[in-house]
Amino acid sequence: MNTAGHPEPTARRGLELTPFRGLRYDPDRVGSLAAVTSPPYDVVVRPDGVHHLQDADPHNIVRLILPQADSPDARNEQAAKTLRRWLSEGVLTTDPEPGLYVYEQRDGEGMLQRGVIGALRVSEPSEGLVLPHEDVMPHVVADRAALMRATSANLEPLLLTYRGNGTAADTTSVIERTIEGPPLLATTTEDGFSHRLWSITDPADLARIQSDLTHRQALIADGHHRWATYRRLRAEHTGPSPWDYGLVLLVDTARYPLRVRAIHRLLHGVPVPEALAALDGLFRVRRLDVPRAEALETLADAACAGNAFLLAGDGAFHLVDRPDAALLARTVPTDRPAAWRTLDATVLHATLLAHVWHIPEDDPTRIAYIHDTAATVGKAERDGGTAVLMHPVREDVVRDLARQGVTMPRKSTSFGPKPASGLVLRTLDL
């Protein structure tokens, strides 16, 4: 049995985290470490966010994770050339010996997260080691795979969580002893988060962490598309190879709980009045002429009673709740657990997108997925579209569904804080 009382798979080898020679910015070659970092590729609001980060420093990591060119092939080749140039110029340098990395994030509101960055052996969902909880979009996986092939690198770690026993177990004890020493780097990004990184190279400490993690099962908190990309690239290489492993940050959420936020939707080319008109007789709709914070509080209250969403983009907020029971019975699949059938994301995708608004969930010309609430509303207002604001799902619901092998609709959750991109990279050529 694992720490949550669930039976473990019978043929598990356990999480296999290996040291690697980290690729890091030389602080003497860049303006500042904060200026070369970026949020993960899928959090950057394009194109505004890309331009802002590119302007922050000519060596910002966004030039690798979101290269800008006229075609996908040209973008990937540009990223590969940029990476080679930065290596030859010494902008990026390789650490002298393999190690795992302790990563700490802290904000001014009491949030503290610590975890270990390493190269994790890639496994299939059937092995029960790394549990996905969301579906992925094939075109995004193809895009990330092409970029990784071109650069032969893992450019940013994805975020995995596991549940320790809440005490100073082996991994936690190594982490908390390591942070007593001087960090390799320390910086504060413009979002107010401070970031610190240490290396672990002592063989005894590495062995303790690796032994501890063989008893753990991980949940993908952020990075489903990158994990699917790792799996695809591993399958393309026969025999043992560096592609058998992928860059991850592992966090024990029994020790360092994460925040769970929603990911919002932006409907392109659908004005708010048109979106609302389609809901007539199917959902209750109420206009809220209140500030965003108050509207989100109203959404939270409504979500406690059932499915609820906020629509915005016309200068007001519209609470959409109390869906027609017959509509749900007709549109929501019945072959999955009740916890899945009643998710807001399930009702959004199965009912609203598919049957009411007729918007394909994987067509980027029709729908965008944006993490930031203000950015979603702002883009809807500027572009004449509709923002669909969501209420977050609890972590225990996510983990329980994942253990049952049930995936949630894509982009259902946003766990955080997410690791900053650009602090440590992994090249597969070393």
Side-chain angles (χ1 to χ4, degrees):
M1 302 288 284
N2 60 28
T3 56
H6 296 268
E8 300 284 17
T10 56
R12 281 181 54 191
R13 283 188 285 173
L15 298 176
E16 189 179 312
L17 193 68
T18 65
F20 68 104
R21 294 178 64 197
L23 190 63
R24 297 188 294 110
Y25 282 99
D26 182 342
D28 295 330
R29 299 294 185 98
V30 297
S32 73
L33 290 174
V36 296
T37 64
S38 164
Y41 79 97
D42 58 335
V43 180
V44 178
V45 179
R46 290 172 272 188
D48 297 349
V50 172
H51 295 157
H52 172 73
L53 292 164
Q54 286 180 336
D55 292 343
D57 191 284
H59 300 109
N60 190 283
I61 191 69
V62 77
R63 296 178 184 272
L64 299 182
I65 63 174
L66 288 173
Q68 302 297 294
D70 293 335
S71 70
D73 288 345
R75 289 196 294 270
N76 296 328
E77 179 58 28
Q78 178 176 297
K81 289 180 178 178
T82 300
L83 178 58
R84 291 194 294 268
R85 185 174 73 253
W86 289 356
L87 286 166
S88 66
E89 294 173 351
V91 172
L92 288 169
T93 60
T94 307
D95 284 337
E97 57 182 318
L100 300 175
Y101 295 83
V102 172
Y103 177 45
E104 176 190 276
Q105 292 169 277
R106 187 191 297 266
D107 69 6
E109 301 176 359
M111 164 60 75
L112 173 64
Q113 177 175 288
R114 294 186 183 125
V116 178
I117 296 176
L120 185 70
R121 185 182 69 84
V122 178
S123 59
E124 295 299 313
S126 60
E127 297 180 60
L129 299 176
V130 177
L131 304 177
H133 69 268
E134 289 183 357
D135 294 329
V136 297
M137 291 176 268
H139 75 277
V140 177
V141 176
D143 174 74
R144 291 294 100 185
L147 178 63
M148 287 190 203
R149 287 191 206 98
T151 58
S152 192
N154 298 152
L155 300 172
E156 47 185 348
L158 54 89
L159 176 61
L160 304 181
T161 72
Y162 68 96
R163 298 289 292 179
N165 56 14
T167 64
D170 284 341
T171 299
T172 298
S173 63
V174 174
I175 288 175
E176 296 185 353
R177 188 173 66 253
T178 300
I179 64 168
E180 294 176 358
L184 292 174
L185 64 86
T187 190
T188 300
T189 46
E190 65 179 10
D191 59 4
F193 271 91
S194 65
H195 307 261
R196 297 197 292 173
L197 192 77
W198 296 259
S199 64
I200 302 173
T201 56
D202 179 77
D205 285 341
L206 294 173
R208 290 183 70 186
I209 291 174
Q210 290 173 315
S211 176
D212 178 38
L213 292 176
T214 61
H215 306 290
R216 308 302 178 192
Q217 179 186 56
L219 174 74
I220 302 176
D222 185 70
H224 283 80
H225 290 91
R226 280 167 284 170
W227 185 254
T229 299
Y230 291 166
R231 291 171 47 212
R232 173 181 291 195
L233 294 174
R234 183 190 67 164
E236 294 175 359
H237 296 78
T238 58
S241 80
W243 297 97
D244 293 340
Y245 298 82
L247 188 64
V248 306
L249 167 64
L250 272 166
V251 174
D252 176 2
T253 53
R255 189 77 170 182
Y256 299 106
L258 271 66
R259 292 172 175 156
V260 187
R261 292 194 168 108
I263 301 176
H264 309 297
R265 276 66 170 162
L266 175 63
L267 311 183
H268 298 303
V270 181
V272 174
E274 181 180 323
L276 292 174
L279 302 177
D280 186 38
L282 302 176
F283 286 76
R284 183 177 70 167
V285 178
R286 287 181 288 163
R287 180 185 175 100
L288 306 176
D289 290 302
V290 297
R292 185 176 70 248
E294 188 174 335
L296 290 171
E297 289 178 3
T298 304
L299 172 63
D301 291 340
C304 292
N307 300 119
F309 313 90
L310 274 183
L311 270 55
D314 62 347
F317 294 95
H318 306 268
L319 180 66
V320 175
D321 65 354
R322 297 189 184 179
D324 177 68
L327 173 69
L328 297 184
R330 189 170 69 250
T331 56
V332 175
T334 59
D335 59 346
R336 302 190 199 183
W340 179 89
R341 297 197 305 271
T342 55
L343 289 170
D344 287 338
T346 296
V347 172
L348 173 64
H349 284 252
T351 303
L352 286 170
L353 293 179
H355 290 274
V356 177
W357 293 325
H358 305 291
I359 295 175
E361 62 182 19
D362 57 357
D363 183 350
T365 68
R366 304 287 305 280
I367 186 170
Y369 299 81
I370 304 176
H371 293 71
D372 184 80
T373 305
T376 311
V377 175
K379 286 185 70 66
E381 292 178 344
R382 289 192 302 272
D383 301 343
T386 294
V388 183
L389 305 182
M390 309 282 289
H391 184 66
V393 183
R394 299 193 319 275
E395 181 184 358
D396 61 322
V397 173
V398 175
R399 191 176 295 275
D400 188 56
L401 286 171
R403 284 201 175 105
Q404 296 179 60
V406 178
T407 54
M408 300 166 65
R410 58 198 63 176
K411 298 294 184 182
S412 293
T413 60
S414 176
F415 285 86
K418 305 177 190 303
S421 300
L423 297 180
V424 61
L425 293 66
R426 172 179 177 253
T427 177
L428 282 76
D429 294 333
L430 296 176

